[in-house]
Amino acid sequence: MVCGAAGCGKTLFAMTFLVNGAVRFGEPGVFMSFEERAEDLTANVASLGVDVPALVAARKLVIDHVRVERSEIEENGEYDLEGLFVRLGYAIKSVGAKRVVLDTVEALFSGFSDTGILRAELRRLFGWLKDQGVTAVITGERGEGQLTRQGLEEYVSDCVILLDNRVEEQITTRRLRIVKYRGSSHGTNEYPFLIDEQGISVVPITSAGLAHKTSDEPVSSGVPGLDAMLGAGGFYRGSSVLVTGGSGTGKTIFGAQFASATCRRGERCLLFTFEESPSQLIRNVRSVGLDLRPHLDAGLLRIESARPSLFGFEMHLARMVRDVRRFRPTAVVIDPISAFHGPSSEIQAALLRLIDILKEDGITALFTGLTASGPMTDADHMVSSLMDAWISLRCIEETGERNRGLYVLKARGMGHSNQIREYRLTGQGVVLIEPYLGSGGVMTGSARLAEEARERAETMRRQRATEQRRRDFERKRLSTERQVAELRAALDAEAAELERLDEQATSWEQSLEQDRDAMAVIRGAAE
């Protein structure tokens, strides 16, 4: 039994059950309608991309419209559904149906007020369907204070699914709940579901847990300077990363650069944007040298855009999980999560379920968020506590200009830099500038340039003073060396004079000795 109020999707749910059986599992089906004509039903289902006439022609599907007009019904004597059983039995045998849909049960009994007959025939209808060995989906309208109009269908059914189309703060959210399912354990929470051009999608996002595996493999953020600030050389694969900052800090560009780096590795990336259309995003990031078009054409990048007010947050979450399961990316970018408004506890709970699902599939997720220029709020802390890494982008205003600064607030499982790094959005993407610390802290922009110029001038002054002292020393050294040379020359001359005198004295002594010898000889001869 699939029950719910008008517009919650009962008929489309039942038709999806038949189409999937015929197309995916080779099980023919019968759709017996008591309200919509066959041609109307075919036209409505065509909006989901289902070719009902082709399935009918292939004898995989039978659509039978049974006209029930209250004004033409006369309640007289005993009443039974024998005619319906004959008609339905013939349709089942004609295609060998394994699945049956009756839409809706209220229309079948709309002309009768005898609740005793009605209850008896309901029981007999359900029993007859079981005897045929078919799996039957019967739709019913929501009653007042009970699940169905008659209050009996939910008791005789094996499984009861309640559909709800809820409006909160002018935003509609479709939810599904399994009220009972005999012989099976099942989820008891409410699950958001989608009805769009791709059919019905139900994602049991409330069943996420903490059994996911972790990886030590780093993946690049797309910004080399940021990778260098992270101890692992990038984000861990399968981690969740939050990039926050004020308006104009470049959060979207960081997300686009991460997506581009993922695609350059030959991996798939799914980018959800809630503020820009795909073409606008592609044009804007092209200004910083990022061309996403080749990645889109190669099938490595997919961009999904929607206004936050289009669905409730739970509905957006279900849509994102469905797209992730179908595209099977290795990285996901969500820009920005701050576009969703509501109680921070609900947003945190929904994001927690999304993060757990992405972690289970080993998908690296980068979230961007707008933060106020003042102190961080409780909502900022609640969201950031879910993340493995938190990158904060800040505007630094000084000396009459506005510059940008980045720092890593946390990165679980790795050491990281504690410096505030100035970054610029250039024609080559995001470029981090080497940190510069002045006497008053980190300096950026023209203040940094002025301080660097002052330091260069001071360095040049010291260099000139050193060169002057070096030249003075050289002059003194040369003068001293000349003086030493002159003194050495004088000493050498005096030494040469002394040597000459010594030679003269020696020569004089030798001459005197010779004279004595000569005189001695003369004297001896005389004797």
Side-chain angles (χ1 to χ4, degrees):
M1 172 63 63
V2 177
C3 53
C8 64
K10 301 184 297 295
T11 301
L12 291 179
F13 186 99
M15 179 57 77
T16 301
F17 165 71
L18 287 186
V19 170
N20 284 338
V23 175
R24 299 174 58 187
F25 303 105
E27 297 182 356
V30 174
F31 192 103
M32 183 165 282
S33 173
F34 304 106
E35 291 182 332
E36 291 184 271
R37 296 177 301 174
E39 54 270 24
D40 296 334
L41 185 64
T42 299
N44 294 338
V45 177
S47 63
L48 304 181
V50 178
D51 190 356
V52 173
L55 295 176
V56 173
R59 298 184 63 79
K60 295 182 178 180
L61 189 64
V62 173
I63 298 180
D64 189 9
H65 175 234
V66 178
R67 181 172 173 270
V68 179
E69 186 62 42
R70 181 184 179 91
S71 60
E72 298 178 1
I73 297 176
E74 180 180 355
E75 190 173 358
N76 185 14
E78 294 186 357
Y79 167 80
D80 59 41
L81 297 177
E82 198 62 39
L84 175 67
F85 295 160
V86 172
R87 187 165 179 172
L88 184 56
Y90 173 79
I92 292 173
K93 292 179 181 178
S94 65
V95 294
K98 299 295 183 181
R99 304 186 179 201
V100 171
V101 169
L102 301 181
D103 183 45
T104 66
V105 70
E106 281 77 22
L108 182 60
F109 297 102
S110 61
F112 300 92
S113 57
D114 190 332
T115 57
I117 295 177
L118 189 148
R119 289 172 178 266
E121 290 304 304
L122 273 175
R123 289 191 182 94
R124 196 159 76 95
L125 172 62
F126 280 61
W128 183 86
L129 289 170
K130 286 195 175 194
D131 294 338
Q132 302 303 309
V134 297
T135 305
V137 169
I138 300 175
T139 65
E141 296 178 3
R142 185 76 181 269
E144 295 182 4
Q146 52 194 10
L147 294 177
T148 58
R149 185 70 61 84
Q150 309 301 333
L152 176 66
E153 299 92 320
E154 60 264 35
Y155 295 102
V156 297
S157 301
D158 297 312
C159 177
V160 177
I161 299 175
L162 176 63
L163 304 183
D164 186 18
N165 195 16
R166 195 174 305 169
V167 179
E168 296 177 352
E169 296 183 358
Q170 301 180 356
I171 297 178
T172 301
T173 303
R174 301 179 188 272
R175 289 181 172 88
L176 175 151
R177 180 167 66 93
I178 302 175
V179 179
K180 78 170 186 178
Y181 188 11
R182 288 173 180 163
S184 173
S185 60
H186 58 86
T188 58
N189 295 331
E190 288 187 325
Y191 303 102
F193 71 97
L194 301 175
I195 298 179
D196 57 11
E197 68 279 358
Q198 300 184 35
I200 293 181
S201 301
V202 183
V203 182
I205 56 178
T206 55
S207 61
L210 287 173
H212 51 267
K213 297 180 180 180
T214 58
S215 172
D216 294 331
E217 178 190 357
V219 294
S220 174
S221 65
V223 181
L226 178 57
D227 292 342
M229 295 180 68
L230 300 170
F235 307 126
Y236 283 134
R237 185 178 294 277
S239 62
S240 54
V241 182
L242 177 64
V243 178
T244 61
S247 180
T249 53
K251 302 180 297 297
T252 300
I253 294 175
F254 271 86
Q257 197 148 341
F258 172 68
S260 179
T262 302
C263 295
R264 288 197 303 270
R265 294 193 300 269
E267 302 174 4
R268 291 184 176 184
C269 181
L270 183 56
L271 195 156
F272 296 99
T273 174
F274 298 100
E275 293 182 340
E276 299 175 287
S277 66
S279 59
Q280 183 181 7
L281 176 65
I282 293 172
R283 182 204 64 187
N284 291 346
V285 300
R286 193 181 296 122
S287 64
V288 292
L290 293 175
D291 190 1
L292 301 180
R293 177 60 62 183
H295 303 316
L296 285 169
D297 297 339
L300 296 175
L301 177 64
R302 180 177 169 186
I303 302 176
E304 294 290 336
S305 62
R307 281 295 182 189
S309 57
L310 183 61
F311 306 114
F313 190 62
E314 290 278 359
M315 192 70 72
H316 278 291
L317 195 56
R319 181 180 68 90
M320 287 188 285
V321 172
R322 180 200 64 185
D323 292 340
V324 167
R325 294 281 167 81
R326 292 182 178 179
F327 189 61
R328 304 185 67 82
T330 61
V332 169
V333 177
I334 300 176
D335 176 50
I337 56 175
S338 54
F340 299 96
H341 300 284
S344 57
S345 58
E346 293 184 8
I347 294 178
Q348 184 193 33
L351 282 176
L352 178 60
R353 295 195 294 269
L354 175 60
I355 290 171
D356 284 341
I357 289 175
L358 296 176
K359 284 180 178 291
E360 287 178 359
D361 294 337
I363 298 173
T364 310
L366 188 146
F367 302 82
T368 68
L370 177 67
T371 56
S373 57
M376 288 181 291
T377 64
D378 293 339
D380 296 332
H381 288 289
M382 291 178 67
V383 172
S384 63
S385 66
L386 307 176
M387 304 297 174
D388 298 310
W390 184 6
I391 312 299
S392 179
L393 311 179
R394 294 295 178 91
C395 288
I396 303 173
E397 298 183 4
E398 57 184 2
T399 64
E401 64 181 22
R402 183 171 177 264
N403 300 290
R404 300 179 177 94
L406 173 152
Y407 58 100
V408 181
L409 286 176
K410 75 172 182 178
R412 290 172 179 164
M414 68 177 73
H416 58 85
S417 172
N418 62 352
Q419 293 178 331
I420 298 178
R421 298 285 297 274
E422 182 184 2
Y423 67 94
R424 296 173 185 168
L425 306 180
T426 69
Q428 289 74 41
V430 179
V431 176
L432 267 64
I433 310 301
E434 286 299 320
Y436 182 84
L437 294 175
S439 58
V442 176
M443 292 187 176
T444 61
S446 61
R448 173 194 180 116
L449 296 177
E451 184 65 15
E452 289 178 344
R454 188 190 66 78
E455 286 196 353
R456 285 195 299 270
E458 181 64 21
T459 300
M460 293 177 63
R461 186 190 65 77
R462 289 195 299 267
Q463 290 176 349
R464 286 196 298 267
T466 302
E467 289 296 328
Q468 182 63 39
R469 294 195 62 179
R470 184 177 288 109
R471 288 193 295 269
D472 293 343
F473 171 79
E474 187 67 19
R475 286 194 298 269
K476 290 180 180 180
R477 185 184 65 81
L478 294 176
S479 176
T480 302
E481 288 179 352
R482 284 195 299 270
Q483 292 176 2
V484 170
E486 291 174 357
L487 292 173
R488 188 178 298 277
L491 289 174
D492 291 343
E494 188 172 351
E497 181 64 22
L498 289 175
E499 185 178 358
R500 186 181 61 80
L501 292 176
D502 288 340
E503 290 177 354
Q504 289 178 355
T506 301
S507 177
W508 181 78
E509 289 178 356
Q510 291 177 351
S511 177
L512 183 60
E513 186 67 26
Q514 290 176 358
D515 289 344
R516 286 195 187 107
D517 291 340
M519 289 178 64
V521 172
I522 294 172
R523 286 178 183 173
E527 291 178 357

